[in-house]
DNA sequence: CCTCCTTGTGGAATCGTTTACAACGACGTG
DNA sequence: CACGTCGTTGTAAACGATTCCACAAGGAGG
């Protein structure tokens, strides 16, 4: 593959001049510029990004470590992140943690070894000293969706508390009183926050959230199935189930189907995270929708701000309830605008 | 960040010795080895992959360019590719083409600039001289799922012809005679092959596939909706629609719903590519399933073979029909094993 | 005792860039 | 005419690793 030396030789100039032309340095004559450009075209020369990175100490690459590529929520997030990053001249390297802390660490480590300019992470359950050390050592890090409390790292996330309250109101109105939740891993913020939000919302109606009605899942389909089977085996099963993510809802649907039960007649189902397929399930599923695209864009903005030496701000956006038929509403109703679309809290860090 | 020089200084040896320890070179004394290892641990040293790549001319990274990250088929493929690559000591950098040739070229170019060791591509519609030139110039390339005819590049794919025949037999048995297809872009092999397979299968029953019953989509949901609306507007609409990928099926379902029609009573629906959600749609959707995981693994094997100087073989696996209720079968039937799971054709190249 | 081989080690070149620095003409000005 | 300034260029030193080569020390064998 042609190198800058070949170009310099072909154009009859030094490598410094070639470099200057390529980097739009002002002081190079029109004559030299055109000779270099001609040589570049003739040789099909492309600068070696590896060498360039070594010299400049920047890769123009961002690492994105997500919980699970098979989860449409993360996939949509990844897409918006890549798009926003590309617009700013960065590429994105995705690492799929599969909800496993060890795999997450593997990806963080290889991304760090490759000297990515910054890291966007939706941390898997657990502490990850590796990640925290990297952040402390100066690698620009931004958390997105999930975060690790106590770290001095900006967080870009959605607050679902209002939407959860709306959901509980909706369920209560439809007569459901015994409500259960399939929680995510307690080691993740989204895992525990959603339970807390649900419990608080229930409390407003004087409804308790007893331990038997909290199932512990891991954000993947199989766990949703297992937990739901447990619920259905209870002496007094719940009459509504709230899954903390879409994959666990899929599992719940499986378990309910397998018993020959019907949604919503025998049991209601609602989900955190809305995805296109929920319109088409039997029945269409009531869900809490995050502003996923905006989260991705805000996260990239924050990370690139940190990378380029500006102050990065934490951002919290609002989620909203999308009512469909899985909780027993007679017909789909219009989605009410529940709250201002966006709230931004400038100085907030990991311990909001 | 600590460099190899710091380690050498801390251990009281030369950088050459540190390098030898790190690369398990045999001739280094136990004494020196332990001093180096201690220094590495003390400094938290990690070798700079950028510098290493520049020197060794290999990055241990594979590029994977897929049609669309939002498509669960590609997402599953990406997952299995990453897993297989990791097992062989490679990482994977994913590029999402969004079905756009220009975006595909963008990703191919940046991956090439980053000097990835090899490229796995499911090409978007069009020729992509860039890609073909790279392959010709010696970059190891393997096509997966889709391919570009005429290139001397190994192909790893599934052959759906038998499954399509099974599907048409199934539809015919259920009384459907006027069958339509939502095709993918003619510029992709999967786009045109699936139409051909469908036409051939219909011909065996003496059924024609007229132009009005071939809709041209782009593998994304919106086009499925548009094409289906066109079908429904025909003086004599089809009584069954076959979507060439799962996203277009989603769009078709939207369009059918919007008219207040029911699947399968008013119109039957079948899909190429099976995904977990199809079990839960209303009704569950009959689909042709590819052995996606095995495709990913075979593709990585082939690419790494090429990278490491061994001969790479093209691989063709079989897809199979999964019958559910969207074509009107009274109840789900057991899935018959239609054919041997796997067929491998050793010397086949891009012009099979 | 001298030679030869083996083993362990360090010096230095190298990969393909960027960039500080110096050199060099041309030119305007006092 | 001398001198500073400006614009353009090339030389060479990095960046952080790997690896070729030379060399020293020590043991084996004649």
């Amino acid at each position: 593959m042609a190198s800058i030396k070949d170009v310099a030789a072909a154009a009859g100039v030094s490598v410094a001049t070639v470099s200057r032309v390529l980097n739009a340095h002002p002081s190079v004559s029109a004559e030299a510029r055109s000779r270099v450009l001609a040589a570049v075209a003739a040789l099909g020369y492309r600068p070696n990004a590896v060498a360039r990175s070594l010299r400049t100490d920047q890769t123009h690459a961002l690492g994105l470590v997500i919980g699970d590529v098979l989860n449409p929520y993360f996939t949509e997030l990844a897409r918006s992140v890549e798009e926003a990053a590309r617009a700013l001249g960065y590429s994105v390297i995705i690492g799929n943690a599969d909800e496993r802390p060890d795999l997450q660490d593997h990806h963080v480590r290889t991304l760090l070894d490759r000297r990515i300019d910054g890291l966007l992470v939706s941390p898997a359950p657990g502490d990850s000293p590796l990640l925290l050390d990297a952040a402390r050592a100066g690698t620009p890090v931004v958390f997105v969706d999930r975060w690790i409390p106590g770290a001095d790292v900006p967080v870009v996330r959605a607050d679902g508390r209002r939407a959860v309250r709306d959901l509980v109101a909706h369920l209560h109105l439809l007569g459901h009183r015994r409500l259960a939740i399939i929680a995510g891993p307690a080691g993740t913020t989204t895992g525990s926050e959603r339970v807390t939000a649900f419990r608080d919302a229930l409390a407003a109606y004087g409804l308790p959230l007893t331990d038997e009605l909290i199932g512990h899942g891991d954000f993947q389909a199989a766990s949703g199935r297992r937990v739901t089977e447990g619920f259905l085996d209870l002496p007094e099963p719940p009459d509504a189930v709230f899954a903390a993510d879409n994959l666990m809802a899929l599992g719940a649907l499986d378990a309910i189907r397998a018993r020959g039960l019907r949604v919503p007649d025998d049991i209601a189902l609602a989900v955190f995270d809305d995805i296109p397929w929920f319109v088409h399930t039997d029945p269409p599923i009531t869900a809490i929708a995050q502003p996923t695209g905006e989260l991705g864009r805000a996260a990239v903005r924050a990370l690139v701000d940190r990378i380029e030496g500006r102050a990065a701000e934490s951002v919290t956006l609002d989620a909203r309830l999308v009512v469909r038929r899985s909780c027993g509403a007679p017909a789909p109703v219009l989605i009410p605008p529940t709250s201002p679309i966006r709230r931004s809290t400038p100085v907030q860090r990991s311990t909001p």
Side-chain angles (χ1 to χ4, degrees), chain A:
Chain A
M1 199 163 279
S3 85
I4 198 172
K5 275 189 207 149
D6 304 315
V7 177
V13 298
S14 72
V15 293
T17 300
V18 176
S19 178
R20 278 188 276 255
V21 170
L22 264 24
N23 294 287
H25 187 101
S27 84
V28 40
S29 68
E31 156 74 8
R33 185 187 321 279
S34 68
R35 286 232 305 282
V36 167
L37 260 18
V40 164
L43 296 170
Y45 168 74
R46 297 244 81 210
N48 183 329
V50 174
R52 194 195 290 246
S53 293
L54 177 61
R55 182 57 233 249
T56 61
D57 201 33
Q58 40 178 307
T59 50
H60 279 279
L62 269 28
L64 170 65
V65 180
I66 57 178
D68 182 4
V69 242
L70 297 186
N71 185 328
Y73 167 73
F74 282 120
T75 258
E76 197 186 332
L77 185 68
R79 193 191 122 108
S80 70
V81 162
E82 193 277 334
E83 207 161 53
R86 179 154 34 85
L88 296 173
Y90 289 83
S91 32
V92 174
I93 306 182
I94 302 174
N96 169 33
D98 243 351
E99 303 294 359
R100 285 167 40 193
D102 60 319
L103 242 190
Q104 167 178 286
D105 276 5
H106 164 84
H107 283 118
V108 169
R109 203 170 345 249
T110 57
L111 290 167
L112 255 21
D113 285 355
R114 287 187 197 274
R115 300 299 192 269
I116 41 94
D117 291 342
L119 209 44
L120 232 36
V121 188
S122 184
D127 275 354
S128 193
L130 173 65
L131 187 56
L132 267 17
D133 284 351
R136 233 179 330 255
T139 305
V141 176
V142 166
F143 288 139
V144 57
D145 184 42
R146 309 174 187 169
W147 84 95
I148 298 180
D152 183 27
V153 167
V155 181
V156 175
R157 55 187 277 262
D159 182 348
R161 282 176 300 181
R162 178 191 297 260
V164 170
R165 278 200 299 275
D166 290 347
L167 170 64
V168 169
H170 173 67
L171 289 167
H172 191 267
L173 190 72
L174 293 168
H176 301 297
R177 292 297 179 269
R178 194 167 161 75
L179 312 183
I181 183 169
I182 310 176
T188 62
T189 47
T190 48
S192 54
E193 278 173 349
R194 289 170 194 177
V195 175
T196 305
F198 194 57
R199 189 200 313 277
D200 291 351
L202 289 185
Y205 290 88
L207 299 174
L209 183 61
T210 57
D211 279 352
E212 61 174 6
L213 293 181
I214 305 179
H216 296 284
D218 60 6
F219 283 141
Q220 300 201 301
S223 72
R225 190 173 311 128
R226 180 175 44 72
V227 167
T228 305
E229 279 163 4
F231 286 155
L232 297 175
D233 284 338
L234 288 175
E236 195 185 350
D239 42 35
V241 172
F242 174 42
D245 94 330
N246 65 71
L247 257 22
M248 297 193 298
L250 224 193
L253 221 40
D254 275 339
I256 294 167
R257 266 321 138 76
R259 298 277 173 118
L261 300 175
R262 299 269 314 162
V263 174
D265 313 274
D266 298 310
I267 189 165
L269 182 65
V271 193
F272 207 107
D273 286 344
D274 193 21
I275 60 173
W277 303 99
F278 283 155
V279 177
H280 300 286
T281 47
D282 175 25
I285 295 184
T286 293
I288 292 175
Q290 297 193 50
T292 320
E294 188 49 43
L295 281 175
R297 284 185 288 274
V300 168
R301 266 196 303 269
L303 184 58
V304 171
D305 278 348
R306 279 231 39 197
I307 291 171
E308 299 181 353
R310 296 182 293 274
E313 300 186 343
S314 284
V315 175
T316 303
L317 309 179
D318 242 9
R320 68 179 218 285
L321 178 67
V322 178
V323 174
R324 297 200 183 92
R325 290 209 308 275
S326 63
C327 300
V333 294
L334 243 43
I335 301 150
T338 54
S339 59
I341 295 285
R342 176 173 177 177
R343 297 191 336 244
S344 182
T345 43
V347 291
Q348 181 195 21
R349 290 296 189 172
S350 257
T351 41

